[in-house]
């Protein structure tokens, strides 16, 4: 009844991946940024549960690490939305 459409050379179109090398590069950069944020967030605890350690509320754990994680998530979103097939108009 219905036939699959073929291009003019008589072959079916070559399948392509959605993401290209540039997308994966940005995904790796975003993943590394998030991993660095989680590493910076760790630590600061105390061996004795009865002793309070105020080091858990320093700048690195409260401001820097979560900011790095959010920047990494933003880079991941950019990497997913990046269109590698778009041509530059020069």
């Amino acid at each position: 009844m219905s036939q699959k459409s073929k291009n003019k050379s008589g072959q079916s179109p070559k399948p392509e991946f959605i993401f290209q090398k540039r997308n994966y590069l940005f995904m790796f950069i975003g993943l590394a940024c998030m991993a660095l944020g989680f590493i910076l967030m760790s630590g600061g605890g105390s061996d004795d549960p009865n002793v309070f350690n105020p080091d858990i509320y320093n700048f690195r754990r409260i401001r820097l690490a979560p900011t790095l994680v959010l920047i990494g998530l933003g880079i991941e979103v950019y990497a997913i939305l990046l269109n590698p097939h778009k041509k530059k108009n020069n």
Side-chain angles (χ1 to χ4, degrees), residues 57-70:
Y57 296 116
N58 64 4
F59 173 78
R60 184 183 80 181
R61 289 185 180 92
I62 297 297
R63 302 277 187 223
L64 182 63
T67 304
L68 279 175
V69 172
L70 290 176

Side-chain angles (χ1 to χ4, degrees), residues 29-41:
I29 292 170
L31 185 66
C33 188
M34 286 190 297
L36 179 64
F38 281 114
I39 289 170
L40 289 176
M41 230 183 284

